[in-house]
Each structure stands twice: as structure tokens, then as C-alpha cells.
Amino acid sequence: MTDTEKTTAPSRRALIGWGGAGLALGAAAAGGTVAMTRTGDDITPTAADAGAAVEFHGTHQAGIATPVQDRLHFAAFDVTTDDRAEFVQMLKDWTAAARRMTAGKAVGEGAYGGLAEAPPDDTGEALGLKPSRLTLTIGFGPSLFEKFDLAGRRPEALVDLPQFAGDNLDKNRSGGDLCIQACADDPQVAVHAIRNLARIGFGKVVIRWSQLGFGKTSSTTPDAQTPRNLMGFKDGTRNIAGTETDRLKKFVWADGKDADWMAGGSYLVARRIRMHIETWDRTSLQEQEDVFGRDKGEGAPVGKAKERDKPFLPAMKPDAHVRLAHPDSNGGATILRRGYSFTDGTDGLGRLDAGLFFLAYMKDVREGFIRIQRHLSTDALNEYIQHVGSAVFAVPPGVRDRDDWWGSTLFSKEA
């Protein structure tokens, strides 16, 4: 918390929280919109409290290199229609709604004032709320390419993830024909966005699974304080920043060589990682630090004084998480992380159902996540975590202007 935040009235997002299954609603906030760009320095606390809007149009979709917001609502959908034109129209309708919601506006004609005999265009729970840096990011799963005669357009980089050591995946929390990632500083704004897109898609798509997230666990802002995960450790100190155009080009943005329609897009891996919180909390501090390869207070790598000091990997134990995940241990493989913590109540045995909802963007799933995750098979951290949900998506390029729409480069016949 900054000194500014300490001396001013609490913001709406400080009063609103969620715990997986529902929302705790606080007082509504009203006000204008402050525009901001997707990349560059982190916004100031004043801009964040003003509910800044993130530009929707661009070469790349917002919500990837954008400064990471505080809250997440992620939803994976299955397609229920076999009518290609109907599905394309839904994508256009979704784009129009997303364009308005990210600007802090109501969907269509709004939540009231229309025909009393018809449902309103907007569900209304975000009335009076600011944009809260809402970003909406769409992705297409491997199973979508089994529909609408798209088999020949599936990118080579969009591979099905293999079974990794220790996986215990729940099929009800995995996969999906497409996804929407909603990030915002106000959880009600993020939930409102997913709710309205699901309503617009009724009869064409259905939610397969979803996840609420809080407490960002990664930063895309240079020199920003590194967030902590639910184990209390800083992780992802050298995450790719939104201003590092060279690293983004090298590791994140697809160049379209294996699928021309993906130029300017990226690939997303989503993993629901359950943490064995109770076991971890009974583990000695020394062992916790050995598991990560960093000290818990400063976040400095073993043998170093500061968090951002270059780690000396041989000083760490061979199975330390930082040592095994580091690019130097993986042929240079690097991914951009945007993960969030989650807690979804208890598991019925008195244990917290909590952990990390891992989100990572990369240029190629094979050379990014798969290479790194295979190397983590001997990670000491595996004793305290388990991957229980999984999905992978091709994230198309951004919506260029008001005449463009999500997925236009893929569904070129209708473009």
C-alpha cells in the first residue's frame, strides 16, 4: 500500500472481495474515466483509484502485456451451435459489448429505459462503477478447430498439452472451445463482463468452467514490487514487462509463420494449481526457502542480498524451484506470467481449496510452457502443489478499429 492509499478513503476494490463461490458487495463508486495506454510505466495510485480505462483497440489484445490488474474472472466456453454464420455474428456482438464495457459503458441500450416487456441489454450490476482498467482477452482452444471446417487453420504451436508428472486434472475444470479472460481492479466489473458475454452467447455457447482470482502473483510493470503468492514468496521477479518490446517480440507475440491469422497474437496456457496450504504452513522456514531458492523476506536468491540480484543457480539446491524454472536451465525458454491467487472454500475435509491460477502467454507452447514444465518434474515444490485444471488457447491479434472484431483474421470468409 502506498502512502497515498494510506491517507485517503479506501477505494472500492479495497472494500470488495471474493472467495471463489461468490461476491461480498460494498458501496458503489461513481465517476469519470481516465484513459491509459496498454504498455509503459505502471499507472499511479491516483489513476488506479480514478478507474482508468484501457484502450480496447490495438495490434495486440489488451490483457497480455497490460499492467496486471488486481482481480480476475476467467471463463472457458463450449460452442453449442453448428451454424458458422451464427457463431461469427456472436463474435461480432461480443466485440461490440467488450468495446463498450472496457470503456465503462453499459452493453447495448443499457440496463433500464427500454421496453418494459423485454429484458434489458445490460444486467445492470456495474451501473455507476468506473472501468477499473477492465481488459477482455479472447482465446480459441484446440477443440474449436474440430468445428466449422477449421481443421486446416489450427496453428502448429497450439498443441494439446501432454500429461506431466504429478498431474491430477479434473476434466470439469479443463479444456474449452474458447475462453474469455476478464481482468479489472474491481471484481464486480470483471464478473459483470463475463456474465454479459455469457448472456449474449446464450444458445451459441455455454460456460464449461470458470475461475475467480485475486491478488495478482506476477507483474508486467518494470521495477514494480513483485507480488507474493499464497505461500508467502515472491515469484517471477524477472517476468517480461510490457515495455520490453524486444523480449515480447522474441518470447510472446506470434509471428504468423505457422498460421498467418495468428500474427500479432499469442498462446495462453491456463493451469489451476492447488496448494497444500496446511502442509506448507507446518514446514520450517529453512526448508521453505530451500524449496524456492530465495529468502522469504527480501526475495533475494540464495547467496544474494537483493531480490533483483542475478541468481547464482549452482548455489541453490538441485531441486530448487527458481533453479529449475530459470531460463538458463531451459535453453532460454521464457514466458510472460499473469497468474492470480484463488481460494474456493474448503474441500470437505477441513482443508482450504486454494492456490495459484497460473496464466502464461508465449510465442510457442512447445518451446515455452511444455519445455519448462517438463524440467520441473523434479521440483521440490511439487510436494506442496498439484495441477488440477488445464487448458491451452490460441489468442488472436487485437481488434484494429471499430470495424474489426474478435477472430476476424481466423474467420476470413466473413471478414
PDB file of all heavy atoms in Angstrom, residues 87-97 99 405-406 414-415:
ATOM      1  N   PHE A  87     -22.237 -18.235 -35.218  1.00  0.00           N
ATOM      2  CA  PHE A  87     -21.115 -18.103 -34.303  1.00  0.00           C
ATOM      3  C   PHE A  87     -20.311 -16.839 -34.610  1.00  0.00           C
ATOM      4  O   PHE A  87     -19.902 -16.116 -33.689  1.00  0.00           O
ATOM      5  CB  PHE A  87     -20.217 -19.341 -34.405  1.00  0.00           C
ATOM      6  CG  PHE A  87     -19.023 -19.306 -33.493  1.00  0.00           C
ATOM      7  CD1 PHE A  87     -19.177 -19.451 -32.124  1.00  0.00           C
ATOM      8  CD2 PHE A  87     -17.746 -19.118 -34.009  1.00  0.00           C
ATOM      9  CE1 PHE A  87     -18.069 -19.422 -31.279  1.00  0.00           C
ATOM     10  CE2 PHE A  87     -16.638 -19.083 -33.172  1.00  0.00           C
ATOM     11  CZ  PHE A  87     -16.807 -19.235 -31.799  1.00  0.00           C
ATOM     12  N   VAL A  88     -20.079 -16.562 -35.877  1.00  0.00           N
ATOM     13  CA  VAL A  88     -19.349 -15.359 -36.266  1.00  0.00           C
ATOM     14  C   VAL A  88     -20.104 -14.108 -35.818  1.00  0.00           C
ATOM     15  O   VAL A  88     -19.502 -13.150 -35.324  1.00  0.00           O
ATOM     16  CB  VAL A  88     -19.099 -15.342 -37.786  1.00  0.00           C
ATOM     17  CG1 VAL A  88     -18.632 -13.964 -38.247  1.00  0.00           C
ATOM     18  CG2 VAL A  88     -18.072 -16.406 -38.164  1.00  0.00           C
ATOM     19  N   GLN A  89     -21.424 -14.125 -35.958  1.00  0.00           N
ATOM     20  CA  GLN A  89     -22.210 -12.979 -35.511  1.00  0.00           C
ATOM     21  C   GLN A  89     -22.077 -12.793 -34.000  1.00  0.00           C
ATOM     22  O   GLN A  89     -22.014 -11.662 -33.507  1.00  0.00           O
ATOM     23  CB  GLN A  89     -23.681 -13.150 -35.894  1.00  0.00           C
ATOM     24  CG  GLN A  89     -24.553 -11.937 -35.563  1.00  0.00           C
ATOM     25  CD  GLN A  89     -24.066 -10.664 -36.240  1.00  0.00           C
ATOM     26  OE1 GLN A  89     -23.869 -10.636 -37.459  1.00  0.00           O
ATOM     27  NE2 GLN A  89     -23.850  -9.612 -35.462  1.00  0.00           N
ATOM     28  N   MET A  90     -22.015 -13.899 -33.270  1.00  0.00           N
ATOM     29  CA  MET A  90     -21.820 -13.790 -31.828  1.00  0.00           C
ATOM     30  C   MET A  90     -20.478 -13.133 -31.505  1.00  0.00           C
ATOM     31  O   MET A  90     -20.383 -12.302 -30.590  1.00  0.00           O
ATOM     32  CB  MET A  90     -21.882 -15.173 -31.174  1.00  0.00           C
ATOM     33  CG  MET A  90     -21.823 -15.129 -29.651  1.00  0.00           C
ATOM     34  SD  MET A  90     -21.180 -16.649 -28.896  1.00  0.00           S
ATOM     35  CE  MET A  90     -19.424 -16.529 -29.286  1.00  0.00           C
ATOM     36  N   LEU A  91     -19.416 -13.507 -32.249  1.00  0.00           N
ATOM     37  CA  LEU A  91     -18.118 -12.887 -32.025  1.00  0.00           C
ATOM     38  C   LEU A  91     -18.182 -11.379 -32.279  1.00  0.00           C
ATOM     39  O   LEU A  91     -17.573 -10.593 -31.535  1.00  0.00           O
ATOM     40  CB  LEU A  91     -17.058 -13.526 -32.927  1.00  0.00           C
ATOM     41  CG  LEU A  91     -16.686 -14.978 -32.626  1.00  0.00           C
ATOM     42  CD1 LEU A  91     -15.684 -15.483 -33.668  1.00  0.00           C
ATOM     43  CD2 LEU A  91     -16.104 -15.124 -31.224  1.00  0.00           C
ATOM     44  N   LYS A  92     -18.929 -10.976 -33.287  1.00  0.00           N
ATOM     45  CA  LYS A  92     -19.094  -9.546 -33.564  1.00  0.00           C
ATOM     46  C   LYS A  92     -19.878  -8.866 -32.442  1.00  0.00           C
ATOM     47  O   LYS A  92     -19.541  -7.750 -32.018  1.00  0.00           O
ATOM     48  CB  LYS A  92     -19.799  -9.352 -34.905  1.00  0.00           C
ATOM     49  CG  LYS A  92     -18.981  -9.817 -36.095  1.00  0.00           C
ATOM     50  CD  LYS A  92     -19.745  -9.643 -37.402  1.00  0.00           C
ATOM     51  CE  LYS A  92     -18.910 -10.089 -38.598  1.00  0.00           C
ATOM     52  NZ  LYS A  92     -19.659  -9.949 -39.878  1.00  0.00           N
ATOM     53  N   ASP A  93     -20.918  -9.530 -31.950  1.00  0.00           N
ATOM     54  CA  ASP A  93     -21.702  -8.970 -30.851  1.00  0.00           C
ATOM     55  C   ASP A  93     -20.872  -8.895 -29.572  1.00  0.00           C
ATOM     56  O   ASP A  93     -20.972  -7.923 -28.812  1.00  0.00           O
ATOM     57  CB  ASP A  93     -22.956  -9.825 -30.610  1.00  0.00           C
ATOM     58  CG  ASP A  93     -23.945  -9.778 -31.766  1.00  0.00           C
ATOM     59  OD1 ASP A  93     -23.862  -8.834 -32.578  1.00  0.00           O
ATOM     60  OD2 ASP A  93     -24.788 -10.694 -31.858  1.00  0.00           O
ATOM     61  N   TRP A  94     -20.062  -9.917 -29.324  1.00  0.00           N
ATOM     62  CA  TRP A  94     -19.170  -9.899 -28.164  1.00  0.00           C
ATOM     63  C   TRP A  94     -18.184  -8.735 -28.263  1.00  0.00           C
ATOM     64  O   TRP A  94     -17.914  -8.057 -27.274  1.00  0.00           O
ATOM     65  CB  TRP A  94     -18.394 -11.217 -28.081  1.00  0.00           C
ATOM     66  CG  TRP A  94     -19.079 -12.277 -27.276  1.00  0.00           C
ATOM     67  CD1 TRP A  94     -20.363 -12.263 -26.813  1.00  0.00           C
ATOM     68  CD2 TRP A  94     -18.484 -13.501 -26.818  1.00  0.00           C
ATOM     69  NE1 TRP A  94     -20.617 -13.413 -26.098  1.00  0.00           N
ATOM     70  CE2 TRP A  94     -19.489 -14.190 -26.079  1.00  0.00           C
ATOM     71  CE3 TRP A  94     -17.238 -14.081 -26.958  1.00  0.00           C
ATOM     72  CZ2 TRP A  94     -19.253 -15.434 -25.486  1.00  0.00           C
ATOM     73  CZ3 TRP A  94     -17.000 -15.323 -26.375  1.00  0.00           C
ATOM     74  CH2 TRP A  94     -18.007 -15.983 -25.648  1.00  0.00           C
ATOM     75  N   THR A  95     -17.640  -8.525 -29.457  1.00  0.00           N
ATOM     76  CA  THR A  95     -16.677  -7.439 -29.636  1.00  0.00           C
ATOM     77  C   THR A  95     -17.315  -6.093 -29.337  1.00  0.00           C
ATOM     78  O   THR A  95     -16.718  -5.244 -28.653  1.00  0.00           O
ATOM     79  CB  THR A  95     -16.126  -7.440 -31.072  1.00  0.00           C
ATOM     80  OG1 THR A  95     -15.596  -8.728 -31.382  1.00  0.00           O
ATOM     81  CG2 THR A  95     -15.035  -6.390 -31.246  1.00  0.00           C
ATOM     82  N   ALA A  96     -18.521  -5.887 -29.841  1.00  0.00           N
ATOM     83  CA  ALA A  96     -19.222  -4.622 -29.597  1.00  0.00           C
ATOM     84  C   ALA A  96     -19.469  -4.415 -28.106  1.00  0.00           C
ATOM     85  O   ALA A  96     -19.299  -3.311 -27.572  1.00  0.00           O
ATOM     86  CB  ALA A  96     -20.539  -4.600 -30.368  1.00  0.00           C
ATOM     87  N   ALA A  97     -19.855  -5.491 -27.415  1.00  0.00           N
ATOM     88  CA  ALA A  97     -20.105  -5.396 -25.976  1.00  0.00           C
ATOM     89  C   ALA A  97     -18.804  -5.145 -25.220  1.00  0.00           C
ATOM     90  O   ALA A  97     -18.760  -4.333 -24.286  1.00  0.00           O
ATOM     91  CB  ALA A  97     -20.778  -6.670 -25.479  1.00  0.00           C
ATOM     92  N   ARG A  99     -16.110  -3.718 -26.318  1.00  0.00           N
ATOM     93  CA  ARG A  99     -15.667  -2.350 -26.615  1.00  0.00           C
ATOM     94  C   ARG A  99     -16.335  -1.356 -25.664  1.00  0.00           C
ATOM     95  O   ARG A  99     -15.701  -0.431 -25.159  1.00  0.00           O
ATOM     96  CB  ARG A  99     -15.992  -2.028 -28.074  1.00  0.00           C
ATOM     97  CG  ARG A  99     -15.485  -0.685 -28.546  1.00  0.00           C
ATOM     98  CD  ARG A  99     -15.873  -0.445 -29.996  1.00  0.00           C
ATOM     99  NE  ARG A  99     -15.078  -1.252 -30.916  1.00  0.00           N
ATOM    100  CZ  ARG A  99     -15.562  -2.183 -31.741  1.00  0.00           C
ATOM    101  NH1 ARG A  99     -16.864  -2.460 -31.728  1.00  0.00           N
ATOM    102  NH2 ARG A  99     -14.759  -2.843 -32.555  1.00  0.00           N
ATOM    103  N   TRP A 405     -13.292  -7.050 -35.501  1.00  0.00           N
ATOM    104  CA  TRP A 405     -13.943  -7.833 -34.445  1.00  0.00           C
ATOM    105  C   TRP A 405     -13.077  -9.028 -34.079  1.00  0.00           C
ATOM    106  O   TRP A 405     -12.200  -9.442 -34.838  1.00  0.00           O
ATOM    107  CB  TRP A 405     -15.343  -8.295 -34.896  1.00  0.00           C
ATOM    108  CG  TRP A 405     -15.422  -8.819 -36.312  1.00  0.00           C
ATOM    109  CD1 TRP A 405     -15.550  -8.070 -37.443  1.00  0.00           C
ATOM    110  CD2 TRP A 405     -15.335 -10.185 -36.741  1.00  0.00           C
ATOM    111  NE1 TRP A 405     -15.562  -8.889 -38.556  1.00  0.00           N
ATOM    112  CE2 TRP A 405     -15.434 -10.198 -38.160  1.00  0.00           C
ATOM    113  CE3 TRP A 405     -15.198 -11.403 -36.078  1.00  0.00           C
ATOM    114  CZ2 TRP A 405     -15.398 -11.367 -38.908  1.00  0.00           C
ATOM    115  CZ3 TRP A 405     -15.162 -12.580 -36.813  1.00  0.00           C
ATOM    116  CH2 TRP A 405     -15.262 -12.546 -38.222  1.00  0.00           C
ATOM    117  N   TRP A 406     -13.328  -9.555 -32.883  1.00  0.00           N
ATOM    118  CA  TRP A 406     -12.571 -10.697 -32.378  1.00  0.00           C
ATOM    119  C   TRP A 406     -12.639 -11.877 -33.357  1.00  0.00           C
ATOM    120  O   TRP A 406     -13.724 -12.319 -33.744  1.00  0.00           O
ATOM    121  CB  TRP A 406     -13.157 -11.164 -31.048  1.00  0.00           C
ATOM    122  CG  TRP A 406     -12.620 -10.457 -29.847  1.00  0.00           C
ATOM    123  CD1 TRP A 406     -11.432  -9.791 -29.710  1.00  0.00           C
ATOM    124  CD2 TRP A 406     -13.255 -10.361 -28.572  1.00  0.00           C
ATOM    125  NE1 TRP A 406     -11.301  -9.303 -28.436  1.00  0.00           N
ATOM    126  CE2 TRP A 406     -12.393  -9.635 -27.713  1.00  0.00           C
ATOM    127  CE3 TRP A 406     -14.467 -10.845 -28.055  1.00  0.00           C
ATOM    128  CZ2 TRP A 406     -12.702  -9.363 -26.384  1.00  0.00           C
ATOM    129  CZ3 TRP A 406     -14.785 -10.565 -26.737  1.00  0.00           C
ATOM    130  CH2 TRP A 406     -13.909  -9.840 -25.916  1.00  0.00           C
ATOM    131  N   GLU A 414     -15.886 -14.392 -43.589  1.00  0.00           N
ATOM    132  CA  GLU A 414     -16.909 -13.437 -43.181  1.00  0.00           C
ATOM    133  C   GLU A 414     -16.348 -12.048 -42.889  1.00  0.00           C
ATOM    134  O   GLU A 414     -17.068 -11.135 -42.571  1.00  0.00           O
ATOM    135  CB  GLU A 414     -17.623 -13.935 -41.914  1.00  0.00           C
ATOM    136  CG  GLU A 414     -18.534 -15.140 -42.158  1.00  0.00           C
ATOM    137  CD  GLU A 414     -17.766 -16.448 -42.170  1.00  0.00           C
ATOM    138  OE1 GLU A 414     -16.557 -16.427 -41.914  1.00  0.00           O
ATOM    139  OE2 GLU A 414     -18.384 -17.483 -42.444  1.00  0.00           O
ATOM    140  N   ALA A 415     -15.004 -11.910 -42.950  1.00  0.00           N
ATOM    141  CA  ALA A 415     -14.384 -10.635 -42.571  1.00  0.00           C
ATOM    142  C   ALA A 415     -14.747  -9.550 -43.581  1.00  0.00           C
ATOM    143  O   ALA A 415     -14.889  -9.821 -44.764  1.00  0.00           O
ATOM    144  CB  ALA A 415     -12.878 -10.798 -42.501  1.00  0.00           C
TER     145      ALA A 415
END
